[in-house]
Short mmCIF file of all heavy atoms in Angstrom, two decimals:
data_model
loop_
_atom_site.label_atom_id
_atom_site.label_comp_id
_atom_site.label_asym_id
_atom_site.label_seq_id
_atom_site.Cartn_x
_atom_site.Cartn_y
_atom_site.Cartn_z
N THR A 188 -5.93 5.30 1.63
CA THR A 188 -6.52 4.47 0.60
C THR A 188 -5.48 4.01 -0.43
O THR A 188 -4.50 4.73 -0.66
CB THR A 188 -7.68 5.18 -0.18
OG1 THR A 188 -7.19 6.41 -0.73
CG2 THR A 188 -8.87 5.46 0.73
N LEU A 189 -5.76 2.90 -1.08
CA LEU A 189 -4.91 2.48 -2.18
C LEU A 189 -5.84 2.44 -3.40
O LEU A 189 -6.88 1.86 -3.40
CB LEU A 189 -4.40 1.00 -1.93
CG LEU A 189 -3.79 0.29 -3.12
CD1 LEU A 189 -2.56 0.97 -3.62
CD2 LEU A 189 -3.56 -1.12 -2.74
N VAL A 190 -5.33 3.14 -4.49
CA VAL A 190 -6.14 3.13 -5.75
C VAL A 190 -5.26 2.33 -6.75
O VAL A 190 -4.11 2.58 -6.91
CB VAL A 190 -6.32 4.57 -6.35
CG1 VAL A 190 -7.06 4.55 -7.65
CG2 VAL A 190 -7.06 5.39 -5.26
N THR A 191 -5.94 1.27 -7.34
CA THR A 191 -5.23 0.39 -8.30
C THR A 191 -5.94 0.45 -9.66
O THR A 191 -7.13 0.42 -9.71
CB THR A 191 -5.25 -1.06 -7.75
OG1 THR A 191 -4.70 -1.05 -6.47
CG2 THR A 191 -4.46 -1.95 -8.67
N GLY A 192 -5.13 0.51 -10.71
CA GLY A 192 -5.68 0.51 -12.09
C GLY A 192 -4.68 -0.16 -13.05
O GLY A 192 -3.56 -0.41 -12.67
N ARG A 193 -5.19 -0.45 -14.28
CA ARG A 193 -4.34 -1.04 -15.31
C ARG A 193 -4.28 -0.12 -16.52
O ARG A 193 -5.32 0.49 -16.85
CB ARG A 193 -4.90 -2.36 -15.74
CG ARG A 193 -4.70 -3.51 -14.76
CD ARG A 193 -5.26 -4.80 -15.28
NE ARG A 193 -4.85 -5.85 -14.44
CZ ARG A 193 -3.85 -6.72 -14.76
NH1 ARG A 193 -3.16 -6.56 -15.83
NH2 ARG A 193 -3.55 -7.66 -13.92
N SER A 194 -3.20 -0.19 -17.20
CA SER A 194 -3.08 0.58 -18.43
C SER A 194 -3.89 0.04 -19.61
O SER A 194 -4.26 0.74 -20.51
CB SER A 194 -1.60 0.75 -18.79
OG SER A 194 -1.07 -0.53 -19.19
N SER A 195 -4.12 -1.29 -19.59
CA SER A 195 -4.79 -1.91 -20.72
C SER A 195 -6.26 -2.19 -20.54
O SER A 195 -6.88 -2.87 -21.27
CB SER A 195 -4.10 -3.23 -21.04
OG SER A 195 -4.20 -4.17 -20.01
N SER A 196 -6.80 -1.71 -19.42
CA SER A 196 -8.16 -2.09 -19.03
C SER A 196 -9.00 -0.80 -19.10
O SER A 196 -8.58 0.24 -18.66
CB SER A 196 -8.21 -2.73 -17.69
OG SER A 196 -9.54 -2.97 -17.30
N SER A 197 -10.25 -0.92 -19.56
CA SER A 197 -11.20 0.17 -19.47
C SER A 197 -12.11 -0.05 -18.35
O SER A 197 -13.15 0.67 -18.31
CB SER A 197 -11.97 0.33 -20.79
OG SER A 197 -12.67 -0.92 -21.07
N ALA A 198 -11.79 -0.95 -17.48
CA ALA A 198 -12.69 -1.28 -16.39
C ALA A 198 -12.62 -0.33 -15.18
O ALA A 198 -13.39 -0.40 -14.25
CB ALA A 198 -12.42 -2.69 -15.81
N GLY A 199 -11.78 0.67 -15.31
CA GLY A 199 -11.70 1.74 -14.26
C GLY A 199 -10.65 1.32 -13.24
O GLY A 199 -9.57 0.83 -13.60
N PHE A 200 -10.92 1.65 -11.97
CA PHE A 200 -9.92 1.40 -10.96
C PHE A 200 -10.60 0.94 -9.77
O PHE A 200 -11.82 1.00 -9.57
CB PHE A 200 -9.17 2.64 -10.70
CG PHE A 200 -9.95 3.85 -10.36
CD1 PHE A 200 -10.35 4.08 -9.07
CD2 PHE A 200 -10.46 4.73 -11.41
CE1 PHE A 200 -11.16 5.21 -8.77
CE2 PHE A 200 -11.20 5.78 -11.09
CZ PHE A 200 -11.54 6.08 -9.79
N ASN A 201 -9.85 0.42 -8.72
CA ASN A 201 -10.27 -0.05 -7.50
C ASN A 201 -9.80 0.79 -6.37
O ASN A 201 -8.60 1.21 -6.42
CB ASN A 201 -9.87 -1.50 -7.22
CG ASN A 201 -10.47 -2.52 -8.17
OD1 ASN A 201 -11.63 -2.33 -8.53
ND2 ASN A 201 -9.69 -3.43 -8.65
N VAL A 202 -10.58 1.10 -5.37
CA VAL A 202 -10.15 1.85 -4.19
C VAL A 202 -10.33 0.91 -2.97
O VAL A 202 -11.34 0.39 -2.75
CB VAL A 202 -10.94 3.08 -4.02
CG1 VAL A 202 -10.51 3.84 -2.75
CG2 VAL A 202 -10.92 4.04 -5.21
N THR A 203 -9.19 0.73 -2.24
CA THR A 203 -9.19 -0.13 -1.05
C THR A 203 -8.73 0.67 0.12
O THR A 203 -7.64 1.28 0.08
CB THR A 203 -8.22 -1.36 -1.31
OG1 THR A 203 -8.56 -1.96 -2.53
CG2 THR A 203 -8.30 -2.30 -0.20
N PRO A 204 -9.45 0.63 1.26
CA PRO A 204 -8.94 1.31 2.45
C PRO A 204 -7.76 0.57 3.04
O PRO A 204 -7.70 -0.67 2.92
CB PRO A 204 -10.18 1.28 3.39
CG PRO A 204 -11.11 0.23 2.79
CD PRO A 204 -10.78 0.04 1.37
N PHE A 205 -6.90 1.27 3.64
CA PHE A 205 -5.72 0.71 4.27
C PHE A 205 -6.06 -0.33 5.28
O PHE A 205 -5.28 -1.31 5.52
CB PHE A 205 -4.87 1.80 4.99
CG PHE A 205 -3.92 2.55 3.98
CD1 PHE A 205 -3.98 2.44 2.67
CD2 PHE A 205 -2.98 3.43 4.54
CE1 PHE A 205 -3.09 3.04 1.85
CE2 PHE A 205 -2.15 4.15 3.74
CZ PHE A 205 -2.17 3.99 2.35
N SER A 206 -7.18 -0.24 5.91
CA SER A 206 -7.63 -1.23 6.93
C SER A 206 -7.80 -2.62 6.38
O SER A 206 -7.73 -3.58 7.11
CB SER A 206 -8.90 -0.82 7.63
OG SER A 206 -9.98 -0.76 6.66
N GLN A 207 -7.91 -2.76 5.05
CA GLN A 207 -7.99 -4.09 4.43
C GLN A 207 -6.74 -4.56 3.77
O GLN A 207 -6.73 -5.61 3.16
CB GLN A 207 -9.10 -4.00 3.35
CG GLN A 207 -10.52 -3.72 3.90
CD GLN A 207 -11.54 -3.59 2.77
OE1 GLN A 207 -11.28 -3.83 1.61
NE2 GLN A 207 -12.76 -3.24 3.13
N LEU A 208 -5.62 -3.80 3.96
CA LEU A 208 -4.34 -4.22 3.35
C LEU A 208 -3.35 -4.77 4.41
O LEU A 208 -3.53 -4.59 5.58
CB LEU A 208 -3.78 -2.97 2.73
CG LEU A 208 -4.57 -2.36 1.60
CD1 LEU A 208 -3.90 -1.06 1.13
CD2 LEU A 208 -4.68 -3.27 0.44
N ASP A 209 -2.43 -5.48 3.89
CA ASP A 209 -1.38 -6.05 4.71
C ASP A 209 -0.51 -4.94 5.39
O ASP A 209 -0.02 -4.08 4.66
CB ASP A 209 -0.49 -7.01 3.83
CG ASP A 209 0.67 -7.59 4.65
OD1 ASP A 209 0.35 -8.38 5.51
OD2 ASP A 209 1.80 -7.18 4.37
N ARG A 210 -0.37 -4.99 6.63
CA ARG A 210 0.35 -3.93 7.34
C ARG A 210 1.81 -3.87 6.96
O ARG A 210 2.37 -2.74 6.83
CB ARG A 210 0.21 -4.14 8.88
CG ARG A 210 0.80 -2.96 9.64
CD ARG A 210 0.34 -2.97 11.09
NE ARG A 210 0.89 -1.95 11.86
CZ ARG A 210 0.49 -0.62 11.85
NH1 ARG A 210 -0.59 -0.27 11.09
NH2 ARG A 210 1.14 0.26 12.49
N ASP A 211 2.50 -4.95 6.82
CA ASP A 211 3.92 -4.97 6.38
C ASP A 211 4.09 -4.29 5.04
O ASP A 211 5.11 -3.55 4.87
CB ASP A 211 4.43 -6.40 6.32
CG ASP A 211 4.59 -7.05 7.77
OD1 ASP A 211 4.64 -6.28 8.75
OD2 ASP A 211 4.59 -8.26 7.84
N MET A 212 3.20 -4.52 4.18
CA MET A 212 3.27 -3.93 2.87
C MET A 212 3.08 -2.34 2.98
O MET A 212 3.83 -1.60 2.35
CB MET A 212 2.23 -4.45 1.87
CG MET A 212 2.34 -3.93 0.44
SD MET A 212 1.17 -2.66 0.01
CE MET A 212 -0.36 -3.25 0.49
N LEU A 213 2.15 -1.93 3.81
CA LEU A 213 1.98 -0.52 4.02
C LEU A 213 3.21 0.14 4.65
O LEU A 213 3.62 1.27 4.27
CB LEU A 213 0.73 -0.26 4.85
CG LEU A 213 -0.59 -0.54 4.26
CD1 LEU A 213 -1.77 -0.44 5.31
CD2 LEU A 213 -0.83 0.39 3.13
N ILE A 214 3.82 -0.54 5.58
CA ILE A 214 4.98 -0.02 6.20
C ILE A 214 6.15 0.11 5.22
O ILE A 214 6.86 1.14 5.15
CB ILE A 214 5.46 -0.96 7.40
CG1 ILE A 214 4.45 -0.88 8.51
CG2 ILE A 214 6.89 -0.61 7.86
CD1 ILE A 214 4.71 -1.92 9.59
N THR A 215 6.27 -0.90 4.31
CA THR A 215 7.27 -0.81 3.25
C THR A 215 7.01 0.36 2.31
O THR A 215 7.94 1.07 1.96
CB THR A 215 7.33 -2.14 2.42
OG1 THR A 215 7.64 -3.19 3.29
CG2 THR A 215 8.33 -2.08 1.32
N MET A 216 5.80 0.58 1.92
CA MET A 216 5.45 1.66 0.95
C MET A 216 5.63 3.00 1.63
O MET A 216 6.05 3.95 1.05
CB MET A 216 4.05 1.46 0.45
CG MET A 216 3.84 0.27 -0.43
SD MET A 216 5.01 0.33 -1.83
CE MET A 216 5.17 -1.41 -2.20
N ARG A 217 5.28 3.04 2.92
CA ARG A 217 5.49 4.35 3.70
C ARG A 217 6.98 4.68 3.78
O ARG A 217 7.40 5.78 3.58
CB ARG A 217 4.83 4.27 5.07
CG ARG A 217 4.90 5.59 5.77
CD ARG A 217 4.40 5.51 7.19
NE ARG A 217 4.44 6.87 7.84
CZ ARG A 217 5.61 7.32 8.31
NH1 ARG A 217 6.74 6.68 8.24
NH2 ARG A 217 5.58 8.55 8.85
N ASP A 218 7.72 3.60 4.10
CA ASP A 218 9.23 3.80 4.19
C ASP A 218 9.81 4.27 2.85
O ASP A 218 10.67 5.12 2.85
CB ASP A 218 9.90 2.51 4.67
CG ASP A 218 9.66 2.21 6.10
OD1 ASP A 218 9.11 3.04 6.85
OD2 ASP A 218 9.97 1.05 6.49
N LYS A 219 9.31 3.72 1.76
CA LYS A 219 9.76 4.15 0.42
C LYS A 219 9.43 5.60 0.18
O LYS A 219 10.26 6.35 -0.32
CB LYS A 219 9.19 3.22 -0.68
CG LYS A 219 9.66 3.55 -2.03
CD LYS A 219 11.14 3.19 -2.14
CE LYS A 219 11.67 3.38 -3.55
NZ LYS A 219 13.08 3.11 -3.67
N LEU A 220 8.21 6.03 0.57
CA LEU A 220 7.84 7.45 0.42
C LEU A 220 8.73 8.34 1.22
O LEU A 220 9.20 9.37 0.74
CB LEU A 220 6.37 7.65 0.80
CG LEU A 220 5.80 9.06 0.62
CD1 LEU A 220 5.95 9.56 -0.76
CD2 LEU A 220 4.33 9.05 1.06
N VAL A 221 9.04 7.95 2.44
CA VAL A 221 9.94 8.74 3.28
C VAL A 221 11.36 8.82 2.62
O VAL A 221 11.98 9.86 2.58
CB VAL A 221 10.02 8.17 4.70
CG1 VAL A 221 11.12 8.82 5.58
CG2 VAL A 221 8.67 8.31 5.39
N GLU A 222 11.82 7.70 2.13
CA GLU A 222 13.13 7.67 1.44
C GLU A 222 13.18 8.61 0.28
O GLU A 222 14.24 9.17 -0.04
CB GLU A 222 13.38 6.17 0.94
CG GLU A 222 14.70 5.98 0.19
CD GLU A 222 14.76 4.52 -0.26
OE1 GLU A 222 14.48 3.58 0.39
OE2 GLU A 222 15.16 4.44 -1.49
N LEU A 223 12.08 8.74 -0.41
CA LEU A 223 11.97 9.66 -1.57
C LEU A 223 11.76 11.09 -1.19
O LEU A 223 11.73 11.94 -2.03
CB LEU A 223 10.87 9.22 -2.51
CG LEU A 223 11.10 7.84 -3.25
CD1 LEU A 223 9.80 7.42 -3.97
CD2 LEU A 223 12.27 7.90 -4.16
N GLY A 224 11.68 11.41 0.08
CA GLY A 224 11.56 12.77 0.56
C GLY A 224 10.15 13.12 1.04
O GLY A 224 9.95 14.30 1.40
N GLY A 225 9.23 12.19 1.09
CA GLY A 225 7.86 12.49 1.54
C GLY A 225 7.80 12.57 3.05
O GLY A 225 8.74 12.26 3.74
N ASN A 226 6.65 13.12 3.48
CA ASN A 226 6.43 13.30 4.92
C ASN A 226 5.01 12.83 5.34
O ASN A 226 4.16 13.60 5.71
CB ASN A 226 6.60 14.75 5.32
CG ASN A 226 6.56 14.91 6.85
OD1 ASN A 226 6.85 14.04 7.55
ND2 ASN A 226 6.19 16.15 7.22
N PRO A 227 4.74 11.52 5.09
CA PRO A 227 3.42 11.00 5.34
C PRO A 227 3.13 10.88 6.82
O PRO A 227 4.09 10.72 7.64
CB PRO A 227 3.46 9.58 4.70
CG PRO A 227 4.84 9.15 4.79
CD PRO A 227 5.65 10.44 4.65
N PRO A 228 1.88 10.94 7.20
CA PRO A 228 1.52 10.69 8.65
C PRO A 228 1.84 9.30 9.06
O PRO A 228 1.96 8.39 8.18
CB PRO A 228 0.04 11.02 8.71
CG PRO A 228 -0.49 10.84 7.34
CD PRO A 228 0.69 11.18 6.43
N GLU A 229 2.09 9.07 10.31
CA GLU A 229 2.29 7.71 10.82
C GLU A 229 1.04 6.85 10.56
O GLU A 229 -0.10 7.34 10.50
CB GLU A 229 2.56 7.71 12.32
CG GLU A 229 3.84 8.39 12.75
CD GLU A 229 5.09 7.60 12.30
OE1 GLU A 229 5.04 6.43 12.19
OE2 GLU A 229 6.07 8.31 12.04
#
Side-chain angles (χ1 to χ4, degrees):
T188 57
L189 167 64
V190 179
T191 305
R193 286 182 171 261
S194 63
S195 64
S196 174
S197 61
F200 54 88
N201 295 320
V202 178
T203 308
F205 278 6
S206 61
Q207 295 178 6
L208 299 174
D209 177 70
R210 185 164 179 82
D211 289 339
M212 185 258 310
L213 288 173
I214 291 169
T215 300
M216 294 302 154
R217 185 185 181 282
D218 289 348
K219 185 66 177 177
L220 181 57
V221 170
E222 178 185 315
L223 293 171
N226 187 24
E229 292 292 329

